[in-house]
mmCIF file of all heavy atoms in Angstrom:
data_model
loop_
_atom_site.group_PDB
_atom_site.id
_atom_site.type_symbol
_atom_site.label_atom_id
_atom_site.label_comp_id
_atom_site.label_asym_id
_atom_site.label_seq_id
_atom_site.Cartn_x
_atom_site.Cartn_y
_atom_site.Cartn_z
ATOM 1 N N THR A 1055 -8.037 21.694 2.825
ATOM 2 C CA THR A 1055 -9.287 21.428 2.189
ATOM 3 C C THR A 1055 -9.090 20.936 0.833
ATOM 4 O O THR A 1055 -8.287 21.529 0.047
ATOM 5 C CB THR A 1055 -10.236 22.661 2.213
ATOM 6 O OG1 THR A 1055 -10.532 23.110 3.527
ATOM 7 C CG2 THR A 1055 -11.612 22.266 1.533
ATOM 8 N N SER A 1056 -9.601 19.797 0.428
ATOM 9 C CA SER A 1056 -9.421 19.194 -0.893
ATOM 10 C C SER A 1056 -10.758 18.820 -1.475
ATOM 11 O O SER A 1056 -11.676 18.528 -0.805
ATOM 12 C CB SER A 1056 -8.559 17.980 -0.693
ATOM 13 O OG SER A 1056 -7.331 18.283 -0.134
ATOM 14 N N THR A 1057 -10.821 18.700 -2.772
ATOM 15 C CA THR A 1057 -11.994 18.225 -3.435
ATOM 16 C C THR A 1057 -11.678 16.817 -3.888
ATOM 17 O O THR A 1057 -10.694 16.514 -4.526
ATOM 18 C CB THR A 1057 -12.288 19.077 -4.658
ATOM 19 O OG1 THR A 1057 -12.572 20.427 -4.305
ATOM 20 C CG2 THR A 1057 -13.551 18.553 -5.426
ATOM 21 N N ILE A 1058 -12.624 15.916 -3.496
ATOM 22 C CA ILE A 1058 -12.558 14.449 -3.948
ATOM 23 C C ILE A 1058 -13.845 14.229 -4.651
ATOM 24 O O ILE A 1058 -14.851 14.889 -4.503
ATOM 25 C CB ILE A 1058 -12.196 13.542 -2.761
ATOM 26 C CG1 ILE A 1058 -13.323 13.521 -1.759
ATOM 27 C CG2 ILE A 1058 -10.851 13.826 -2.186
ATOM 28 C CD1 ILE A 1058 -13.114 12.416 -0.702
ATOM 29 N N THR A 1059 -13.868 13.009 -5.366
ATOM 30 C CA THR A 1059 -15.060 12.580 -6.049
ATOM 31 C C THR A 1059 -15.214 11.087 -5.572
ATOM 32 O O THR A 1059 -14.315 10.229 -5.789
ATOM 33 C CB THR A 1059 -14.859 12.668 -7.538
ATOM 34 O OG1 THR A 1059 -14.705 14.040 -7.805
ATOM 35 C CG2 THR A 1059 -16.144 12.121 -8.277
ATOM 36 N N PHE A 1060 -16.413 10.729 -5.150
ATOM 37 C CA PHE A 1060 -16.769 9.325 -4.918
ATOM 38 C C PHE A 1060 -17.373 8.841 -6.291
ATOM 39 O O PHE A 1060 -18.473 9.272 -6.633
ATOM 40 C CB PHE A 1060 -17.799 9.228 -3.694
ATOM 41 C CG PHE A 1060 -17.290 9.424 -2.466
ATOM 42 C CD1 PHE A 1060 -17.230 10.714 -1.893
ATOM 43 C CD2 PHE A 1060 -16.588 8.468 -1.798
ATOM 44 C CE1 PHE A 1060 -16.727 10.962 -0.623
ATOM 45 C CE2 PHE A 1060 -15.957 8.788 -0.538
ATOM 46 C CZ PHE A 1060 -16.075 9.985 0.074
ATOM 47 N N GLU A 1061 -16.658 7.939 -6.854
ATOM 48 C CA GLU A 1061 -17.099 7.365 -8.135
ATOM 49 C C GLU A 1061 -17.907 6.103 -7.870
ATOM 50 O O GLU A 1061 -17.426 5.213 -7.315
ATOM 51 C CB GLU A 1061 -15.942 7.184 -9.048
ATOM 52 C CG GLU A 1061 -15.278 8.455 -9.390
ATOM 53 C CD GLU A 1061 -14.182 8.326 -10.492
ATOM 54 O OE1 GLU A 1061 -13.970 7.315 -11.024
ATOM 55 O OE2 GLU A 1061 -13.583 9.425 -10.754
ATOM 56 N N THR A 1062 -19.125 6.087 -8.440
ATOM 57 C CA THR A 1062 -20.077 4.992 -8.066
ATOM 58 C C THR A 1062 -20.635 4.376 -9.307
ATOM 59 O O THR A 1062 -21.363 5.047 -10.095
ATOM 60 C CB THR A 1062 -21.214 5.676 -7.300
ATOM 61 O OG1 THR A 1062 -20.651 6.318 -6.143
ATOM 62 C CG2 THR A 1062 -22.127 4.527 -6.749
ATOM 63 N N PRO A 1063 -20.370 3.056 -9.538
ATOM 64 C CA PRO A 1063 -20.943 2.416 -10.690
ATOM 65 C C PRO A 1063 -22.319 1.819 -10.289
ATOM 66 O O PRO A 1063 -22.556 1.527 -9.174
ATOM 67 C CB PRO A 1063 -19.936 1.295 -10.912
ATOM 68 C CG PRO A 1063 -19.331 1.000 -9.682
ATOM 69 C CD PRO A 1063 -19.346 2.295 -8.905
ATOM 70 N N ASN A 1064 -23.168 1.665 -11.282
ATOM 71 C CA ASN A 1064 -24.374 0.939 -11.049
ATOM 72 C C ASN A 1064 -24.111 -0.578 -11.447
ATOM 73 O O ASN A 1064 -23.999 -0.790 -12.563
ATOM 74 C CB ASN A 1064 -25.529 1.541 -11.874
ATOM 75 C CG ASN A 1064 -26.868 0.755 -11.472
ATOM 76 O OD1 ASN A 1064 -27.214 0.569 -10.318
ATOM 77 N ND2 ASN A 1064 -27.496 0.298 -12.523
ATOM 78 N N GLU A 1065 -23.978 -1.383 -10.521
ATOM 79 C CA GLU A 1065 -23.657 -2.862 -10.825
ATOM 80 C C GLU A 1065 -24.870 -3.758 -10.795
ATOM 81 O O GLU A 1065 -24.649 -4.959 -10.878
ATOM 82 C CB GLU A 1065 -22.564 -3.280 -9.926
ATOM 83 C CG GLU A 1065 -22.864 -3.792 -8.553
ATOM 84 C CD GLU A 1065 -23.377 -2.726 -7.615
ATOM 85 O OE1 GLU A 1065 -23.093 -1.500 -7.838
ATOM 86 O OE2 GLU A 1065 -24.032 -3.086 -6.578
ATOM 87 N N ARG A 1066 -26.089 -3.226 -10.715
ATOM 88 C CA ARG A 1066 -27.247 -4.125 -10.664
ATOM 89 C C ARG A 1066 -28.330 -3.914 -11.675
ATOM 90 O O ARG A 1066 -29.497 -3.813 -11.384
ATOM 91 C CB ARG A 1066 -27.916 -3.999 -9.216
ATOM 92 C CG ARG A 1066 -27.050 -4.544 -8.151
ATOM 93 C CD ARG A 1066 -27.722 -4.618 -6.763
ATOM 94 N NE ARG A 1066 -28.836 -5.535 -6.853
ATOM 95 C CZ ARG A 1066 -30.110 -5.145 -6.524
ATOM 96 N NH1 ARG A 1066 -30.415 -4.024 -6.047
ATOM 97 N NH2 ARG A 1066 -31.040 -6.030 -6.594
ATOM 98 N N PRO A 1067 -27.913 -3.724 -12.925
ATOM 99 C CA PRO A 1067 -28.993 -3.542 -13.994
ATOM 100 C C PRO A 1067 -29.942 -4.804 -13.924
ATOM 101 O O PRO A 1067 -29.475 -5.881 -13.634
ATOM 102 C CB PRO A 1067 -28.263 -3.411 -15.304
ATOM 103 C CG PRO A 1067 -26.848 -3.235 -14.949
ATOM 104 C CD PRO A 1067 -26.631 -3.761 -13.526
ATOM 105 N N PRO A 1068 -31.233 -4.585 -14.125
ATOM 106 C CA PRO A 1068 -31.867 -3.528 -14.669
ATOM 107 C C PRO A 1068 -32.293 -2.426 -13.514
ATOM 108 O O PRO A 1068 -32.989 -1.432 -13.797
ATOM 109 C CB PRO A 1068 -33.149 -4.103 -15.179
ATOM 110 C CG PRO A 1068 -33.451 -5.212 -14.282
ATOM 111 C CD PRO A 1068 -32.115 -5.821 -13.941
ATOM 112 N N HIS A 1069 -31.776 -2.646 -12.299
ATOM 113 C CA HIS A 1069 -32.182 -1.728 -11.156
ATOM 114 C C HIS A 1069 -31.180 -0.482 -11.283
ATOM 115 O O HIS A 1069 -30.083 -0.581 -11.795
ATOM 116 C CB HIS A 1069 -32.063 -2.465 -9.832
ATOM 117 C CG HIS A 1069 -33.020 -3.482 -9.720
ATOM 118 N ND1 HIS A 1069 -34.351 -3.316 -9.589
ATOM 119 C CD2 HIS A 1069 -32.771 -4.863 -9.736
ATOM 120 C CE1 HIS A 1069 -34.893 -4.564 -9.507
ATOM 121 N NE2 HIS A 1069 -33.979 -5.520 -9.570
ATOM 122 N N ALA A 1070 -31.690 0.637 -10.795
ATOM 123 C CA ALA A 1070 -30.928 1.800 -10.848
ATOM 124 C C ALA A 1070 -30.511 2.294 -9.450
ATOM 125 O O ALA A 1070 -31.225 2.050 -8.530
ATOM 126 C CB ALA A 1070 -31.738 3.065 -11.481
ATOM 127 N N THR A 1071 -29.317 2.854 -9.266
ATOM 128 C CA THR A 1071 -28.851 3.486 -8.089
ATOM 129 C C THR A 1071 -29.676 4.815 -7.857
ATOM 130 O O THR A 1071 -29.670 5.604 -8.786
ATOM 131 C CB THR A 1071 -27.369 3.823 -8.080
ATOM 132 O OG1 THR A 1071 -26.678 2.563 -8.337
ATOM 133 C CG2 THR A 1071 -26.871 4.490 -6.838
#
Side-chain angles (χ1 to χ4, degrees):
T1055 300
S1056 303
T1057 299
I1058 61 172
T1059 301
F1060 288 95
E1061 296 188 3
T1062 308
N1064 183 52
E1065 81 288 345
R1066 293 189 61 231
H1069 300 289
T1071 298

